[in-house]
């Protein structure tokens, strides 16, 4: 991964965890583009998933990390943006594999599912893995073809 710019977003369920993650990845040397929200009022996850996904799809950010209560709803919204491949992970193995095999460019986490220490472990696995290409590229191309209809 050459670019060090990572977009971060969540709904209201994950404001605190998002801040912890922002500090963590900034400490790893990444440029954090935290697009909020910053206040605790209830706010719909689709708009935050879409906003982060558009930063990745446009190339403004190399990767994205998004959160909601389960990680599921915001992941579904992000995956509606063309060019985005986002998976929800609750373990480090899956986070590594979605980079290595699926060329995931976004990671989604459930702030009501996992604790902060595990979230950071998952993020470390995601950020330290690279896409392996080869036969996996053929399969990722098939996903893109579905997107193109
Ligand atoms: C918000 O209450 C909750 O529905 C949301 O954070 C998320 O879990 C949806 O998938």
């Amino acid at each position: 991964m050459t670019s060090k710019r990572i977009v971060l977003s969540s709904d209201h369920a994950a404001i605190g965890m998002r801040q912890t993650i922002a500090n963590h990845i900034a400490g790893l040397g990444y440029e954090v583009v935290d697009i909020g929200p910053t206040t605790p009022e209830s706010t719909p996850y689709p708009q935050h998933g879409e906003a982060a996904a558009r930063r990745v799809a446009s190339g403004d950010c190399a990767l994205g990390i998004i959160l909601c209560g389960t990680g599921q709803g915001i992941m579904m919204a992000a995956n509606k943006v063309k060019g985005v491949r986002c998976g929800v992970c609750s373990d480090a193995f899956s986070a590594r594999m979605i980079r290595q095999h699926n060329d995931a460019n976004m990671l989604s986490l459930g702030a009501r599912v996992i604790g902060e220490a595990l979230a950071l472990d998952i993020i470390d696995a995601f950020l330290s893995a690279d896409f392996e290409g080869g036969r996996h590229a053929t399969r990722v191309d098939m996903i893109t073809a579905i997107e193109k209809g």
Side-chain angles (χ1 to χ4, degrees):
M1 183 55 51
T2 49
S3 171
K4 301 276 265 180
R5 205 165 144 88
I6 299 180
V7 63
L8 206 55
S9 191
S10 74
D11 73 358
H12 55 278
I15 305 265
M17 184 178 280
R18 201 183 80 236
Q19 187 58 56
T20 301
I21 290 169
N23 294 339
H24 179 72
I25 61 179
L28 294 175
Y30 293 93
E31 181 184 351
V32 180
V33 181
D34 189 340
I35 58 170
T38 53
T39 55
E41 297 85 42
S42 182
T43 180
Y45 59 81
Q47 73 185 54
H48 304 293
E50 180 189 3
R54 294 212 181 279
R55 296 286 189 124
V56 173
S58 71
D60 177 45
C61 294
L63 296 172
I65 299 174
I66 53 177
L67 307 92
C68 66
T70 59
Q72 301 292 348
I74 200 163
M75 174 275 289
M76 291 178 196
N79 275 321
K80 295 297 180 189
V81 174
K82 282 188 180 178
V84 164
R85 288 176 300 280
C86 181
V88 180
C89 294
S90 296
D91 65 278
F93 174 76
S94 298
R96 189 160 54 246
M97 295 308 288
I98 64 169
R99 285 287 306 126
Q100 291 179 348
H101 285 193
N102 314 118
D103 199 16
N105 47 18
M106 295 189 72
L107 169 68
S108 184
L109 301 169
R112 293 174 179 162
V113 180
I114 58 171
E116 286 192 350
L118 179 54
L120 300 184
D121 202 33
I122 290 167
I123 286 167
D124 288 349
F126 182 75
L127 295 180
S128 59
D130 286 313
F131 183 47
E132 290 177 356
R135 69 184 189 281
H136 303 297
T138 308
R139 295 162 186 169
V140 172
D141 287 347
M142 292 171 73
I143 296 175
T144 305
I146 295 168
E147 210 171 55
K148 289 181 177 159

